[in-house]
Amino acid sequence: MRGRAGAVLYTRHACPLCFALERLAERSSRRHRVGLIEADVDADPALQLRYGSRVPVLELPGGASLSGVSGAREVDEAFSRAAEFLRGLEERQPEKGDRGERPSRSRVAWIRRLLGLGGGRPGDRTA
């Protein structure tokens, strides 16, 4: 699923490990309905400094990350946890002091944008 951002895969052109993780991530992204964007480390000097030659790196909502050689089960489980994390954001119960109503979709979208997870509407793109 391409679209609203959720997971970010940092890669390099012509990197066999990057290609393998990209294929696994794309499949799990679609399966768990978590957005996926790919960032080419070589296209951005800041990313080059941050990652150097340590690619691929997959960062997921909820703070999980995978790098290097990752198996299909490991990637799928990470996307499953990320999907659960995102559902938790959308289904957040009101806290004390709230007026008892459920957070509006615009409030959830604002939280998602603040966390760098996209705008919350299908078709939104970030990065």
Side-chain angles (χ1 to χ4, degrees), residues 85-117:
F85 171 79
L86 292 174
R87 279 191 300 274
L89 284 180
E90 292 170 354
E91 297 169 357
R92 181 181 72 84
Q93 295 298 317
E95 297 174 4
K96 277 190 173 183
D98 285 351
R99 290 179 283 164
E101 73 261 4
R102 209 172 161 167
S104 69
R105 289 239 181 244
S106 64
R107 182 184 288 167
V108 171
W110 178 82
I111 292 169
R112 291 176 64 97
R113 282 192 305 273
L114 180 69
L115 295 172
L117 302 174

Side-chain angles (χ1 to χ4, degrees), residues 35-108:
L36 174 67
I37 60 173
E38 188 176 340
D40 183 1
V41 171
D42 293 326
D44 184 341
L47 291 177
Q48 285 177 346
L49 287 173
R50 181 175 179 185
Y51 292 102
S53 61
R54 296 171 307 191
V55 291
V57 174
L58 176 63
E59 294 183 352
L60 294 130
S65 67
L66 301 170
S67 61
V69 179
S70 299
R73 175 175 277 157
E74 183 180 13
V75 173
D76 200 58
E77 288 173 354
F79 269 95
S80 177
R81 288 189 302 271
E84 188 175 318
F85 171 79
L86 292 174
R87 279 191 300 274
L89 284 180
E90 292 170 354
E91 297 169 357
R92 181 181 72 84
Q93 295 298 317
E95 297 174 4
K96 277 190 173 183
D98 285 351
R99 290 179 283 164
E101 73 261 4
R102 209 172 161 167
S104 69
R105 289 239 181 244
S106 64
R107 182 184 288 167
V108 171

